[in-house]
């Protein structure tokens, strides 16, 4: 479904803040979003190879609808590769965090069922989540908020249970190959049977290996489409059988055609808010990565030391 917000109007809707320096947690990206107007927005959440956390910081209303007709208000977690999820609200202000599924496994616990489900952050983190939310709302700047969120995530990462090294290896291979990898040989690489890989990967990442690889490939493909490359070139570049195959994949994940995805304003937010995709990290702890962020749909605007602005960015079609 198309976004209720038109692309030409998107740039007037959001102020986006990003961390001024790299964060210390690989696989985590953060950005702050504040609506410039009190107008109601209704935006589709597009599939992305990371788990999304949205911490509600505003005085308005923020609600996220899942494909089954359920609705979560306030701070939410959206599972990996959601399909048919929508964000709604007015006067929205929130901190969005994108987590690599490996990091998400440690800080949030096992992925929700079904894949892409929308859960309340308070239900997952309880009183600790409520206290963190209060500190974030009381913070005097976005930089302070980013630091508070990073500290909370680091503590949970230290206390959480890491994904199996074999699962981390397979996910890393998928990301490195941009989704262009056959799953069966990966099982052989880690010394597991296909059945065991399917079971362990799905229980820790939230998707089957095949679906996860398709999601990673889809993400790269739609960004190439948005950059102005033809569907024929993108289909060939990313190993789709033909343009029809690419069309079916985009439809399956985003609910729109490749042409519509290419014009979708939500893709523009990536260059503003998510300079370093969280899912590119293959390990929940070692090398530093750019500070993190979460995501619903969005649209950028201004810039200061931490507040960026640029081209429009809204949200498009449902996954």
């Amino acid at each position: 479904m198309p976004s209720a917000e038109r692309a030409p109007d998107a740039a007037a809707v959001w102020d986006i803040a990003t961390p001024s320096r790299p964060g210390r947690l690989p696989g985590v990206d953060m950005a702050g979003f504040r609506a410039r107007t009190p107008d109601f927005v209704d935006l589709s959440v597009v599939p992305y190879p990371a788990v999304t956390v949205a911490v509600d910081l505003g005085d308005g209303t923020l609600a996220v609808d899942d494909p089954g007709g359920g609705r979560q208000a306030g701070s939410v977690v959206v599972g990996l590769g959601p399909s048919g999820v929508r964000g709604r609200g007015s006067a929205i202000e929130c901190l969005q965090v994108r987590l690599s599924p490996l990091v998400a496994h440690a800080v949030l616990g096992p992925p929700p069922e079904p894949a892409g489900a929308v859960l309340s952050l308070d239900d997952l983190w309880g009183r600790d989540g409520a206290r963190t939310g209060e500190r974030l709302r009381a913070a005097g700047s976005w930089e302070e908020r980013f630091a508070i969120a990073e500290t909370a995530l680091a503590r949970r990462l230290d206390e959480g249970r890491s994904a199996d090294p074999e699962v981390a290896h397979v996910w890393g291979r998928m990301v490195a190959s941009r989704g262009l990898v056959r799953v069966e040989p990966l099982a052989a690489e880690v010394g597991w049977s296909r059945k065991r890989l399917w079971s362990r990967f799905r229980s820790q990442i939230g998707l089957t290996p095949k679906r996860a690889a398709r999601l990673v490939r889809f993400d790269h493909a739609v960004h190439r489409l948005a950059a102005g490359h033809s569907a024929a070139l993108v289909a060939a570049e990313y190993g789709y059988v033909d343009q029809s195959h690419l069309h079916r994949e985009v439809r399956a994940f985003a609910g729109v055609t490749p042409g519509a995805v290419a014009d979708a304003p939500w893709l523009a937010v990536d260059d503003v808010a998510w300079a370093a995709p969280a899912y590119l990290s293959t390990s929940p702890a070692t090398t530093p990565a750019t500070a993190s962020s979460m995501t619903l749909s969005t649209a950028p605007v201004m810039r200061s030391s931490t507040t960026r602005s640029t081209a429009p960015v809204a949200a498009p079609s449902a996954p």
Side-chain angles (χ1 to χ4, degrees):
M1 297 175 64
S3 167
E5 184 176 291
R6 296 182 61 81
D9 304 323
V13 175
W14 303 98
D15 284 328
I16 297 180
T18 57
S20 60
R21 56 184 178 275
R24 56 194 172 94
L25 301 179
V28 178
D29 281 311
M30 289 186 261
F33 294 86
R34 180 181 292 121
R36 290 179 134 193
T37 75
D39 297 340
F40 183 83
V41 293
D42 178 1
L43 301 169
S44 300
V45 179
V46 178
Y48 184 80
V51 173
T52 294
V53 180
V55 183
D56 185 9
L57 303 173
D59 297 325
T61 59
L62 172 63
V64 179
D65 297 344
D66 64 36
R71 172 172 295 185
Q72 293 288 349
S75 300
V76 299
V77 175
V78 181
L80 187 68
S83 179
V85 174
R86 302 188 69 82
R88 310 173 191 271
S90 57
I92 294 172
E93 181 174 357
C94 70
L95 171 68
Q96 296 191 41
V97 182
R98 281 179 173 175
L99 302 174
S100 156
L102 300 177
V103 174
H105 180 271
V107 304
L108 297 172
E113 289 286 349
V118 180
L119 303 174
S120 165
L121 182 60
D122 288 347
D123 288 346
L124 292 176
W125 278 8
R127 291 182 180 177
D128 186 40
R131 284 193 295 267
T132 300
E134 290 171 3
R135 292 186 62 204
L136 288 168
R137 280 184 282 276
S141 68
W142 280 112
E143 283 297 333
E144 187 178 351
R145 285 172 169 173
F146 296 141
I148 291 169
E150 186 175 60
T151 298
L153 289 169
R155 182 176 65 252
R156 287 191 162 268
L157 191 57
D158 289 341
E159 297 171 352
R161 183 175 179 179
S162 298
D164 292 335
E166 294 86 352
V167 170
H169 174 82
V170 171
W171 172 255
R173 292 275 279 112
M174 288 178 181
V175 170
S177 68
R178 301 181 301 178
L180 293 170
V181 63
R182 292 180 59 237
V183 176
E184 284 73 12
L186 294 181
E189 283 184 19
V190 298
W192 280 359
S193 67
R194 180 183 181 279
K195 183 177 180 180
R196 179 172 175 77
L197 174 60
W198 239 251
S199 173
R200 299 295 290 174
F201 191 95
R202 190 176 188 281
S203 69
Q204 296 179 21
I205 299 297
L207 299 174
T208 66
K210 184 175 181 179
R211 176 78 176 181
R214 287 173 57 201
L215 177 61
V216 171
R217 179 167 66 164
F218 160 82
D219 179 67
H220 284 281
V222 294
H223 280 84
R224 292 286 280 171
L225 290 168
H229 298 275
S230 71
L233 176 63
V234 173
E237 195 174 33
Y238 287 94
Y240 294 103
V241 175
D242 51 26
Q243 289 187 62
S244 295
H245 185 196
L246 173 64
H247 183 106
R248 290 193 300 273
E249 285 292 276
V250 172
R251 274 282 188 193
F253 280 108
V256 296
T257 65
V261 158
D263 293 333
W266 61 271
L267 287 175
V269 76
D270 286 9
D271 293 336
V272 179
W274 324 122
Y279 71 86
L280 290 181
S281 172
T282 58
S283 166
T286 22
T287 48
T290 309
S292 36
S293 91
M294 35 189 351
T295 178
L296 279 180
S297 42
T298 34
V301 196
M302 297 185 25
R303 175 183 200 142
S304 74
S305 52
T306 58
T307 303
R308 296 193 180 183
S309 94
T310 39
V313 179
S317 355

